[in-house]
Amino acid sequence: SPDILGSYSPILSTTGLNFNHSIAFLISKKYLGKWQNYQEIHPGRCQQLEIDLGAGRKILLINVYQPSGLENIPRTSENFQLAENISHHILSDSTLPIVVGGDWNETLHPRDRSSNRQGPYGSRILPSLIGPVGLVDLSHNHPDHTYQNRGSHSKSSKLDRFLGSPFITRILRAYQ
């Protein structure tokens, strides 16, 4: 509905094994004709496209929906292997600045959960992307939890994040 989306438009969605495993890009209408090289990396879990910002500048946008429960499963599980494959794709040698965001289904710090604790394996995918390879947590200043379960034992977590290459952080600082 135009009232809900305003100046944004959904484009290029992908559905996985079931309807619950779906993601889509929601993009500003001013960039609708400026995307190219769309790739569905894993159905319902990871997709990417390039955006032409003009003046010869492009960025690579990657949308992620990681399997849940990564903090509680061994590395040998199928879901963990899928998460690692997506992570390796993000780390592949892109010559473009990267913005990758979505539902990571894992937390970085105990404070990212209302219980203030993590699963037995802790955070494993996000730390491999932040720091050592140069991606920066663009959401680190946003303390709000992005998932809430208001059942009999109300709980919340910060599962959604945006990461970016250093070039992206310089652009963001220019707008602050």
Side-chain angles (χ1 to χ4, degrees), residues 23-83:
I23 56 176
F25 281 105
L26 185 66
I27 195 161
S28 171
K29 289 179 181 173
K30 70 181 181 179
Y31 292 109
L32 278 181
K34 300 184 184 250
W35 62 269
Q36 58 193 13
N37 298 331
Y38 171 78
Q39 284 185 288
E40 180 181 57
I41 309 306
H42 293 284
R45 294 293 186 175
C46 184
Q47 61 181 349
Q48 72 179 35
L49 59 84
E50 293 176 16
I51 299 286
D52 185 346
L53 300 175
R57 293 180 301 161
K58 294 181 181 180
I59 61 171
L60 180 64
L61 297 179
I62 303 174
N63 187 357
V64 172
Y65 175 36
Q66 290 281 40
S68 60
L70 297 177
E71 296 170 344
N72 298 305
I73 59 177
R75 286 190 181 277
T76 55
S77 75
E78 188 176 329
N79 275 350
F80 192 83
Q81 294 300 315
L82 172 62

Side-chain angles (χ1 to χ4, degrees), residues 61-144:
L61 297 179
I62 303 174
N63 187 357
V64 172
Y65 175 36
Q66 290 281 40
S68 60
L70 297 177
E71 296 170 344
N72 298 305
I73 59 177
R75 286 190 181 277
T76 55
S77 75
E78 188 176 329
N79 275 350
F80 192 83
Q81 294 300 315
L82 172 62
E84 279 196 323
N85 288 341
I86 291 171
S87 174
H88 289 296
H89 173 75
I90 293 168
L91 300 176
S92 65
D93 56 342
S94 171
T95 58
L96 297 176
I98 297 173
V99 174
V100 55
D103 184 348
W104 295 93
N105 273 317
E106 88 173 339
T107 58
L108 268 175
H109 311 284
R111 69 178 176 267
D112 292 338
R113 291 192 181 277
S114 56
S115 66
N116 283 319
R117 54 177 192 228
Q118 293 178 297
Y121 295 106
S123 181
R124 298 185 285 179
I125 299 297
L126 284 169
S128 72
L129 297 172
I130 297 172
V133 296
L135 294 181
V136 176
D137 181 5
L138 302 174
S139 320
H140 74 279
N141 285 334
H142 194 282
D144 294 345

